[in-house]
């Protein structure tokens, strides 16, 4: 949030959420091959932007140094992301160097507006048995028992909804179909009409911070 890395933040629908995964190059002195894989799961309120960037030490890796795959579950709408480092053993001489993986998501119309928040969690799969020669290249092969997995690291983005009912000033009866907007300095103007986006004949549009679509 801003220039700080935090365990949770707040955002509005349509905002970009940036994530940072930090690690270190491990001691690979006894290995001939080493696996280093990030598995990320984003809740349905987060849309992955597929904008991964990775640095090891002071070097930015090229797109051919790793692979990124992601799948959106058609039922629960969660996104499973896998980042696989290619030929990770090549960084053997960089033991202890910082590994920094950055990517982002956009808070979408399925965002959770409760105290549960919109969760993003990541686990690292890594080699843990130098005594077995694995079959796979950049990922474990079938029946390879050579990796371990870290506990999940979880961050949350919170957002909220505002339910408004417009009533007649005299009769106090609800004004059916009334539409209005809220304005104010520093307030993000959003039109709410049961959904957090407005559809038009030209497609689906999100209201921007300046009130336009």
């Amino acid at each position: 949030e801003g220039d700080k890395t935090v365990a949770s933040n707040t955002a509005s629908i349509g905002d970009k959420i940036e994530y940072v995964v930090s690690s270190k190059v491990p001691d690979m002195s006894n290995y001939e091959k080493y696996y280093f894989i990030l598995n990320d799961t984003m809740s349905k309120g987060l849309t992955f932007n597929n904008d991964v960037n990775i640095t090891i030490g002071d070097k930015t890796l090229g797109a051919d140094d790793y692979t990124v795959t992601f799948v959106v579950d058609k039922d629960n709408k969660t996104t499973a992301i896998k980042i696989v480092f290619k030929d990770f053993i090549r960084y053997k001489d960089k033991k202890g160097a910082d590994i920094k993986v950055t990517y982002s998501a956009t808070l979408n119309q399925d965002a959770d507006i409760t105290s549960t928040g919109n969760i993003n969690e990541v686990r690292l799969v890594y080699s843990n048995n130098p005594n077995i020669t694995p079959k796979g290249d950049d990922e474990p092969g079938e029946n390879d028992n050579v990796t371990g997995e870290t506990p999940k690291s979880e961050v949350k983005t919170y957002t909220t909804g505002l339910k408004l009912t417009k009533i007649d000033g005299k009769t106090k009866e609800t004004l059916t179909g009334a539409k209005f907007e809220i304005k104010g300095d520093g307030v993000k103007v959003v039109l709410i009409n049961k959904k957090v986006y407005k559809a038009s004949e030209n497609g689906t549009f999100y209201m921007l911070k300046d009130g336009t679509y």
Side-chain angles (χ1 to χ4, degrees):
E1 190 160 31
D3 296 328
K4 297 181 180 179
T5 52
V6 293
S8 64
N9 69 344
T10 58
S12 297
I13 305 298
D15 280 352
K16 181 179 178 180
I17 316 300
E18 297 183 342
Y19 299 103
V20 179
V21 180
S22 299
S23 188
K24 299 279 188 181
V25 175
D27 184 353
M28 296 183 279
S29 56
N30 294 319
Y31 288 87
E32 294 182 3
K33 185 181 294 185
Y34 199 95
Y35 300 131
F36 201 86
I37 302 165
L38 293 177
N39 289 315
D40 185 289
T41 302
M42 292 182 176
S43 60
K44 67 179 183 179
L46 299 166
T47 299
F48 178 48
N49 291 325
N50 195 17
D51 54 355
V52 174
N53 183 75
I54 302 176
T55 60
I56 295 182
D58 57 0
K59 178 185 177 183
T60 299
L61 303 192
D64 57 348
D65 292 324
Y66 56 91
T67 61
V68 180
T69 56
F70 61 99
V71 178
V72 179
D73 188 282
K74 64 179 181 180
D75 295 321
N76 59 30
K77 297 184 180 180
T78 59
T79 303
I81 306 161
K82 181 164 65 174
I83 303 171
V84 179
F85 287 71
K86 293 182 179 180
D87 190 25
F88 190 75
I89 195 70
R90 75 177 101 169
Y91 308 113
K92 194 172 187 176
D93 61 346
K94 295 183 180 294
K95 173 185 173 182
D98 290 326
I99 300 174
K100 184 178 180 181
V101 184
T102 62
Y103 47 96
S104 71
T106 300
L107 198 62
N108 63 43
Q109 70 270 19
D110 292 319
D112 187 297
I113 63 173
T114 72
S115 58
T116 299
N118 299 276
I119 301 170
N120 184 29
E121 63 180 43
V122 65
R123 291 181 173 89
L124 169 66
V125 175
Y126 59 95
S127 294
N128 67 352
N129 192 338
N131 299 313
I132 298 177
T133 301
K135 300 175 182 178
D137 291 328
D138 300 314
E139 298 184 67
E142 187 176 356
N143 300 320
D144 273 349
N145 186 24
V146 294
T147 59
E149 185 177 275
T150 63
K152 68 179 180 182
S153 177
E154 182 181 279
V155 293
K156 297 182 179 182
T157 293
Y158 296 99
T159 192
T160 188
L162 184 63
K163 189 174 183 179
L164 302 171
T165 303
K166 191 161 189 178
I167 61 174
D168 186 280
K170 294 181 180 179
T171 66
K172 305 303 180 185
E173 294 181 354
T174 301
L175 296 176
T176 303
K179 294 184 178 181
F180 53 97
E181 63 181 12
I182 301 171
K183 293 183 178 180
D185 293 338
V187 175
K188 295 177 183 178
V189 181
V190 180
L191 173 66
I192 302 296
N193 188 10
K194 292 188 178 179
K195 294 183 179 180
V196 293
Y197 62 90
K198 180 179 179 181
S200 79
E201 60 184 5
N202 296 321
T204 299
F205 296 84
Y206 293 98
M207 180 174 278
L208 304 179
K209 295 176 183 179
D210 62 1
T212 61
Y213 288 95

